[in-house]
Amino acid sequence: MVQKYQSPVRVYKNSFEMIMAAYQRRFPTCHLIPMFVGSDIMNEYKSEDGAVHVVERRCKLDVDAPRLLKKIAGVDYVYFIQKNSLNRRDRTLHIEAHNETFASRIVIHEYCCYTVHPDNDDWTCFEQSASLDIKSFFGFESTVEKIAMKQYTSNIKKGKEIIEYYLKQMEEEGITQLPRWTPAPKELQECQTSTSTHSVSPALNIPTITCTDGNSSRDGPPTSSSPPEALSSTPDDKLDADYIKRYLGDLTPLQESCLIRLRQWLQETHKGKIPKDEHILRFLRARDFNIDKSRELLCQSLTWRKQHQVDYLLNTWNPPQVLHDYYAGGWHHHDKDGRPLYVLRLGQMDTKGLVRALGEESLLRHVLSINEEGLRRCEENTNIFGRPISSWTCLVDLEGLNMRHLWRPGVKALLRIIEVVEANYPETLGRLLILRAPRVFPVLWTLVSPFIDENTRKKFLIYAGNDYQGPGGLIDYIDKEIIPDFLGGECLCEVSEGGLVPKALYRTPEELESEDIRLWTETIYQSASVFKGAPHEILIQIVDASSVITWDFDVCKGDIIFNIYHSKRAPQVPKRDTLGAHGITSPVCNNVQLIDKAWQLGRDYSMVESPLTCKEGESVQGSHVTRWPGFYILQWKFHNMPACATSSLPRVDDVLASLQVSSHKCKVMYYTEIIGSEDFRGSMTSLESSHSGFSQLSAATTSSSQSHSSSMVSR
């Protein structure tokens, strides 16, 4: 497996020339890097005007590895080839490095870049990326990988410290400013035009180098076999190391890399409509920074939010009066760490009455609105206290808890709420204080604890009786002046006291079921399953030419191909496979096939758009301007992995990808709309969907699209 690293942008508040002077002091060796024994210059090139200086060095490293491993490998030192390309005119330094030792067994590539800050030309930006691929190493592959990652992360931490050490050394020597490079007088007139175009170089997006041979020419500047690729992202898309520390907290270099890589993947597949960084970080923490697992969980959550319009919940949810009167919970100041504090008097709450009066879905909606408010308060407290706050504290008072609270439908509703919150709001609970737990509490705990994540359970603190009033109790986590009055404090708590819900407010089972179904299916999106040999198709009838068909869909599972067809005649009654061999059970998830097997492409129907291959997790929005009236068919088809062209044997990547799609099943969630020709003014901006953004979780983003003659597809 290839290990990758991508750094955030690290900013030095010093000029590029000062940073370069400090960097040069690291050679030929650096006492601040014990493993860096020395280096020899292999090739060197200088341009006539002195603007370009390229140096290729052979670096000798004493890797901190077990003695036995070194003996088995037969080496005492490891050698790397490093090429530094300095351009004083553009004020950039590009560094490429790869291993020479064990090059056939281990492939290590590193790429670093120093550039001028895009907003302040007296500051300098630094980025780096690296990849490690251990093919074989005498059976010690896992050990070597751990050693390499440990050594690399330790050197990453020292990188900025070393530059700052030499900057301080230069300051002690009286060097506080260095002039910028200027062309010689002869070249001044020739360079006036060219230098005017070299203002401030923006920070480049660092690509991961996949191959390099390290060779260079003695007659000219060495050229890389893997030049940096021009990527679409801008400096605004990047994460600054100081921003991470201020708003996200102290992360290790590898944790920073995971955040940046997952964020980049989301930008590529969701085109800017991505959650805020703190929300992405919660999903990474929930899966111990395993990118693949975090990405899967996050994509499922984003699809869920989109389908149920959760991003607009705070603006659209109007709690029934029953909740105002009898739901004994509410926000109450903050704890000693600055986390928002939510108080829940569960023992005083009539869970049976609330379920009978409201239904399970209404209670779930209310809990989701509480979580959305919690996210908002965390962001607010981060700005107020000047430090990252990404979770809240929940105080649960169980005085009054009895067997009535163990009513089976009530427990069922509680378990479903826990399941939904665990899946979509991970790492939002900083601490749970359970007070005055009665004897019946172990029974409730036995029922719900299996559904709570292990990391979440570690945050629970349980106090029986009045134990919370002693040492190690409530006073350790909440300031004395805001302890609620019903717990013996002096602060008036405005949380409802709960009480029994009058039976006159109870609703019949039929009414509750109808309300639950209404809330559950209250969405503009539909879900469909796509199988190998059984695509999902929808029919759109167009009366007037120049109408616009718009679509917005997410690929929830598997890879699919999206097609648009036109036919002059209507298809037959659709075949619907909802409870057949494929076992689809959800009432909002179906599979419909419209194109008859007897139809021939080009005779009975025609393709009006090029097929679009969509990967799992991608969010796709687009439109098609119709040229003819008739019947248009939107089709989502199972994507078969292409066979390897040069070999009859399947590739490992193809096999693994095919195994991930269980039973050849894919799933999509989609929304379509038709804009009449009279409402379409010919501007593609009028097609921008208002249903695709993540209003509560996303920072300000810009729309991104590609237009091809009469169609637009944006991912």
Side-chain angles (χ1 to χ4, degrees):
M1 181 179 176
V2 179
Q3 296 286 349
K4 295 182 180 180
Y5 171 77
Q6 173 69 58
S7 77
V9 179
R10 306 193 190 280
V11 179
Y12 297 93
K13 296 184 179 180
N14 303 89
S15 69
F16 177 80
E17 289 70 27
M18 287 290 291
I19 296 298
M20 290 301 98
Y23 176 78
Q24 289 300 325
R25 297 194 176 205
R26 297 175 52 171
F27 301 100
T29 185
C30 177
H31 71 280
L32 298 174
I33 310 177
M35 66 180 294
F36 185 25
V37 178
S39 62
D40 299 315
I41 295 178
M42 299 172 60
N43 296 303
E44 188 171 8
Y45 165 82
K46 290 184 180 179
S47 62
E48 291 183 3
D49 60 0
V52 177
H53 186 196
V54 181
V55 180
E56 190 172 25
R57 294 182 176 89
R58 189 170 186 256
C59 302
K60 183 179 179 181
L61 306 180
D62 183 10
V63 180
D64 184 16
R67 197 169 177 182
L68 176 62
L69 187 60
K70 286 186 175 182
K71 190 172 182 180
I72 293 173
V75 297
D76 291 323
Y77 300 102
V78 175
Y79 291 90
F80 274 73
I81 304 300
Q82 183 191 68
K83 183 173 71 176
N84 293 355
S85 303
L86 173 64
N87 190 321
R88 294 187 176 92
R89 180 186 290 110
D90 292 344
R91 303 176 79 194
T92 61
L93 172 66
H94 297 282
I95 306 167
E96 296 177 49
H98 67 276
N99 62 306
E100 181 185 73
T101 309
F102 301 119
S104 62
R105 296 179 178 273
I106 303 173
V107 181
I108 301 174
H109 291 295
E110 183 182 45
Y111 186 91
C112 307
C113 183
Y114 286 92
T115 58
V116 177
H117 193 283
D119 299 323
N120 189 331
D121 58 3
D122 289 326
W123 291 0
T124 306
C125 296
F126 172 75
E127 289 181 81
Q128 70 185 118
S129 67
S131 64
L132 167 67
D133 184 9
I134 301 178
K135 300 180 183 298
S136 66
F137 202 83
F138 313 107
F140 292 93
E141 291 81 11
S142 178
T143 303
V144 172
E145 181 179 302
K146 290 178 181 178
I147 292 173
M149 297 301 290
K150 181 180 178 182
Q151 296 271 319
Y152 192 73
T153 52
S154 64
N155 289 332
I156 290 171
K157 293 179 180 178
K158 291 181 180 178
K160 190 171 183 178
E161 297 174 7
I162 293 170
I163 293 294
E164 290 174 344
Y165 169 83
Y166 286 121
L167 286 170
K168 186 176 181 182
Q169 189 182 77
M170 292 166 60
E171 185 179 348
E172 292 171 353
E173 296 172 3
I175 305 173
T176 56
Q177 190 174 0
L178 290 173
R180 298 184 187 180
W181 178 88
T182 54
K186 289 182 182 180
E187 303 161 352
L188 190 57
Q189 290 183 349
E190 299 175 5
C191 295
Q192 277 181 348
T193 305
S194 60
T195 53
S196 64
T197 62
H198 293 288
S199 53
V200 177
S201 299
L204 298 175
N205 209 359
I206 306 293
T208 299
I209 305 301
T210 56
C211 62
T212 182
D213 54 12
N215 297 327
S216 61
S217 171
R218 295 179 183 274
D219 300 325
T223 57
S224 170
S225 60
S226 297
E229 298 177 3
L231 300 181
S232 59
S233 60
T234 65
D236 294 335
D237 295 329
K238 298 188 174 184
L239 292 185
D240 182 280
D242 295 333
Y243 160 81
I244 290 177
K245 188 172 183 179
R246 165 64 179 83
Y247 291 99
L248 305 179
D250 292 320
L251 303 178
T252 67
L254 292 182
Q255 289 173 345
E256 289 177 339
S257 176
C258 289
L259 173 62
I260 292 167
R261 288 165 57 198
L262 180 54
R263 189 175 183 268
Q264 287 176 344
W265 181 86
L266 286 167
Q267 285 176 329
E268 292 168 3
T269 57
H270 290 73
K271 284 297 179 187
K273 295 175 297 186
I274 65 173
K276 294 179 181 177
D277 299 321
E278 51 267 36
H279 199 65
I280 299 174
L281 187 58
R282 290 186 182 104
F283 284 85
L284 283 166
R285 283 176 170 150
R287 291 297 179 264
D288 295 324
F289 287 88
N290 182 305
I291 288 186
D292 291 335
K293 293 181 179 179
S294 303
R295 178 171 55 199
E296 180 182 2
L297 184 65
L298 178 56
C299 285
Q300 290 173 355
S301 179
L302 293 181
T303 300
W304 169 82
R305 296 184 69 87
K306 191 173 183 179
Q307 182 174 12
H308 298 286
Q309 301 289 283
V310 178
D311 300 304
Y312 310 103
L313 194 59
L314 288 179
N315 297 325
T316 59
W317 172 244
N318 186 20
Q321 189 61 40
V322 177
L323 285 172
H324 285 293
D325 296 338
Y326 299 101
Y327 188 87
W331 294 99
H332 179 76
H333 300 285
H334 56 80
D335 68 4
K336 287 187 174 182
D337 294 323
R339 296 190 188 101
L341 177 63
Y342 190 82
V343 175
L344 181 65
R345 303 185 68 178
L346 185 59
Q348 303 298 314
M349 196 155 61
D350 180 10
T351 54
K352 180 178 180 179
L354 289 173
V355 172
R356 293 288 299 273
L358 295 169
E360 188 177 308
E361 288 300 319
S362 291
L363 279 176
L364 175 60
R365 285 288 177 100
H366 188 61
V367 173
L368 294 181
S369 70
I370 292 170
N371 281 271
E372 290 297 301
E373 175 65 16
L375 295 176
R376 189 195 66 78
R377 287 175 179 258
C378 285
E379 187 175 347
E380 185 179 86
N381 284 16
T382 295
N383 295 324
I384 292 174
F385 293 101
R387 61 178 182 273
I389 296 172
S390 61
S391 59
W392 52 83
T393 293
C394 187
L395 187 155
V396 181
D397 179 25
L398 295 184
E399 185 182 51
L401 190 76
N402 53 45
M403 294 302 293
R404 179 183 176 85
H405 292 85
L406 301 182
W407 180 58
R408 181 171 292 182
V411 173
K412 175 177 171 287
L414 176 61
L415 294 179
R416 177 155 182 259
I417 289 171
I418 291 174
E419 182 182 15
V420 172
V421 171
E422 282 281 308
N424 298 285
Y425 300 91
E427 297 298 315
T428 53
L429 182 65
R431 184 178 293 116
L432 180 64
L433 303 171
I434 299 177
L435 310 183
R436 302 197 281 195
R439 291 183 179 181
V440 75
F441 173 71
V443 180
L444 180 62
W445 178 249
T446 302
L447 292 172
V448 302
S449 61
F451 296 88
I452 301 174
D453 181 75
E454 184 178 352
N455 290 332
T456 304
R457 289 203 299 265
K458 293 177 181 177
K459 301 170 185 176
F460 286 29
L461 294 172
I462 303 172
Y463 300 91
N466 294 323
D467 292 348
Y468 70 93
Q469 296 177 343
L474 205 55
I475 195 67
D476 286 9
Y477 306 103
I478 301 175
D479 289 327
K480 183 178 179 181
E481 54 269 19
I482 65 168
I483 293 179
D485 50 355
F486 64 85
L487 293 174
E490 301 176 356
C491 185
L492 178 63
C493 184
E494 297 181 356
V495 173
S496 169
E497 295 183 0
L500 293 176
V501 177
K503 291 187 178 181
L505 298 177
Y506 285 13
R507 302 167 75 180
T508 65
E510 291 75 18
E511 290 175 331
L512 292 176
E513 183 179 0
S514 175
E515 178 68 9
D516 284 351
I517 292 176
R518 184 188 68 80
L519 290 173
W520 183 38
T521 58
E522 194 177 65
T523 173
I524 61 173
Y525 291 91
Q526 299 183 58
S527 294
S529 292
V530 178
F531 305 96
K532 190 172 184 179
H536 177 70
E537 297 161 346
I538 62 173
L539 181 67
I540 297 177
Q541 184 175 3
I542 297 296
V543 177
D544 299 322
S546 298
S547 297
V548 182
I549 302 173
T550 67
W551 58 83
D552 178 2
F553 66 86
D554 287 4
V555 185
C556 307
K557 180 181 179 182
D559 300 342
I560 60 101
I561 297 176
F562 178 64
N563 291 305
I564 306 177
Y565 299 104
H566 172 263
S567 176
K568 293 181 179 179
R569 57 174 175 153
Q572 297 296 323
V573 178
K575 300 176 182 178
R576 181 182 297 268
D577 181 7
T578 55
L579 292 173
H582 298 300
I584 307 170
T585 57
S586 172
V588 293
C589 187
N590 53 48
N591 178 266
V592 178
Q593 296 156 48
L594 298 168
I595 300 177
D596 193 282
K597 291 183 179 180
W599 280 20
Q600 291 184 11
L601 184 63
R603 185 192 69 184
D604 300 291
Y605 66 108
S606 60
M607 182 180 291
V608 296
E609 287 280 356
S610 299
L612 179 66
T613 301
C614 308
K615 300 292 185 181
E616 180 176 323
E618 287 190 347
S619 179
V620 181
Q621 297 81 37
S623 63
H624 174 78
V625 181
T626 61
R627 295 181 181 179
W628 315 280
F631 300 92
Y632 286 80
I633 299 172
L634 274 58
Q635 180 193 75
W636 291 268
K637 186 171 69 173
F638 182 88
H639 176 49
N640 290 305
M641 298 299 294
C644 184
T646 59
S647 172
S648 60
L649 296 175
R651 297 181 302 165
V652 174
D653 291 345
D654 295 342
V655 174
L656 292 176
S658 64
L659 290 175
Q660 290 176 355
V661 184
S662 175
S663 303
H664 304 292
K665 176 181 177 181
C666 301
K667 185 177 179 181
V668 294
M669 184 185 74
Y670 64 90
Y671 167 75
T672 61
E673 187 177 359
I674 302 172
I675 301 177
S677 57
E678 67 276 7
D679 298 322
F680 177 54
R681 304 301 181 214
S683 171
M684 299 309 288
T685 57
S686 66
L687 303 179
E688 189 173 340
S689 172
S690 62
H691 304 290
S692 304
F694 297 100
S695 60
Q696 297 297 325
L697 293 179
S698 297
T701 58
T702 57
S703 61
S704 176
S705 64
Q706 292 180 323
S707 61
H708 303 282
S709 61
S710 63
S711 67
M712 176 187 73
V713 176
S714 72
R715 290 190 185 183

